[in-house]
Amino acid sequence: MTTTPRLESVLTCPVCGHARREVMPTDACQFFYECAHCKTVLRPKPGDCCVFCSYGSVPCPPVQQQRGGTGCGAGCCG
């Protein structure tokens, strides 16, 4: 059974704590994200494919489809 991935995630900046709901791309990983509050440019943590897997409330759509929405690993996108 295939579930439809969630396309929105709340990204939380690890520097200032600002949280913002964003729409995730379905066709690519998002490697960079600039915090709207403190302007810090976020990058994925080691082992994660994108900023949504590192700082989001929901992992990216490819991870949701491949792993049932839990965790992220290298090579999950693309």
Side-chain angles (χ1 to χ4, degrees), residues 9-13 18-22 33 51-52 55-57:
S9 183
V10 176
L11 283 172
T12 302
C13 178
H18 180 75
R20 185 171 183 170
R21 183 175 304 278
E22 297 287 351
Y33 177 82
V51 294
F52 291 103
Y55 307 105
S57 60

Side-chain angles (χ1 to χ4, degrees), residues 17-76:
H18 180 75
R20 185 171 183 170
R21 183 175 304 278
E22 297 287 351
V23 176
M24 296 182 279
T26 57
D27 59 349
C29 291
Q30 185 166 336
F31 296 107
F32 302 103
Y33 177 82
E34 183 177 305
C35 175
H37 185 258
C38 73
K39 305 302 182 195
T40 297
V41 176
L42 305 181
R43 293 172 180 82
K45 293 177 183 176
D48 285 349
C49 63
C50 66
V51 294
F52 291 103
C53 288
S54 294
Y55 307 105
S57 60
V58 177
C60 68
V63 169
Q64 292 178 54
Q65 291 177 328
Q66 291 178 3
R67 306 225 171 107
T70 60
C72 183
C76 63

